[in-house]
Amino acid sequence: LILSVIAIIFFLLLAKILGSSIISSISKFQDGLLTFLKYVNKEISMVNLLDDKANDEVANMAKEVNKNIQIIQTSLEEDKKFLKDTDAVMHRVQNGWYSQLINSNTSNPALIELKKTINVALTKLKDNFITANKTLEEYANYNYTSKLTEKIKGLKCFFKKVCKQAG
């Protein structure tokens, strides 16, 4: 009987210790995961990897989450750098520097497409200004045989309005 009571107390104590250990591991995992989600939602600017040093299922999950944290963190930093470069290019264009292009790279497909679209638009805009400048230079040299092409239709309309107002 005494041996039975000692065995029951031993097993209850063991269950309490194991339960506390499991709850502690899950709680740490939950805290780390919630911190990561705050990072993804831009509520915080830094994230730490989850504690994956134990040798249990929770640590195995933490290892997998850590791999994804590193991938996402790299991707978000890459996107941040890309957007900063894009902003700088657009400010230069706003100030009349039409030869600027976005040079940063990203693995984000939507931002890659945005880069292509903006760079094509900037290249075409630059080409339009070059064509308009050449035509204006010829006009300045009294050569009125050159015409603005349909390719720069918006500028052509603009110059027609200017000429009507001046004439």
Side-chain angles (χ1 to χ4, degrees):
L1 183 68
I2 293 179
L3 216 52
S4 296
V5 171
I6 291 175
I8 292 173
I9 291 174
F10 174 76
F11 285 119
L12 288 175
L13 190 59
L14 183 63
K16 171 80 170 144
I17 292 170
L18 286 175
S20 294
S21 175
I22 291 170
I23 290 172
S24 175
S25 291
I26 291 173
S27 180
K28 286 179 186 177
F29 180 84
Q30 179 183 13
D31 291 344
L33 190 57
L34 291 174
T35 300
F36 171 65
L37 293 174
K38 286 180 182 180
Y39 172 76
V40 169
N41 290 319
K42 297 177 178 47
E43 295 174 23
I44 58 174
S45 61
M46 299 261 315
V47 65
N48 294 319
L49 297 178
L50 301 169
D51 181 10
D52 62 0
K53 291 178 181 74
N55 192 19
D56 59 14
E57 289 76 13
V58 176
N60 290 338
M61 289 190 305
K63 286 175 186 168
E64 289 302 313
V65 170
N66 284 343
K67 288 177 190 174
N68 286 286
I69 285 174
Q70 291 171 328
I71 291 168
I72 292 170
Q73 189 173 26
T74 300
S75 178
L76 289 175
E77 292 301 318
E78 196 177 73
D79 291 353
K80 193 178 192 180
K81 181 181 175 194
F82 173 84
L83 292 171
K84 186 176 180 180
D85 182 42
T86 301
D87 187 52
V89 166
M90 296 313 292
H91 275 90
R92 286 187 212 115
V93 169
Q94 185 179 7
N95 290 319
W97 301 358
Y98 298 104
S99 62
Q100 300 295 299
L101 296 176
I102 299 168
N103 294 315
S104 291
N105 293 314
T106 180
S107 55
N108 183 324
L111 293 181
I112 291 169
E113 190 60 33
L114 177 66
K115 175 184 175 179
K116 287 179 188 175
T117 302
I118 290 174
N119 282 346
V120 166
L122 291 174
T123 301
K124 287 183 179 184
L125 182 62
K126 177 185 166 190
D127 292 345
N128 288 345
F129 276 113
I130 290 170
T131 301
N133 283 338
K134 286 180 182 176
T135 303
L136 290 174
E137 285 176 20
E138 289 181 27
Y139 288 177
N141 293 320
Y142 304 106
N143 177 3
Y144 302 108
T145 58
S146 293
K147 295 182 180 180
L148 295 174
T149 63
E150 285 300 312
K151 146 176 146 171
I152 53 175
K153 190 175 181 181
L155 286 176
K156 186 176 180 180
C157 294
F158 171 76
F159 288 123
K160 281 184 180 180
K161 288 179 186 175
V162 169
C163 290
K164 282 182 185 178
Q165 289 176 353

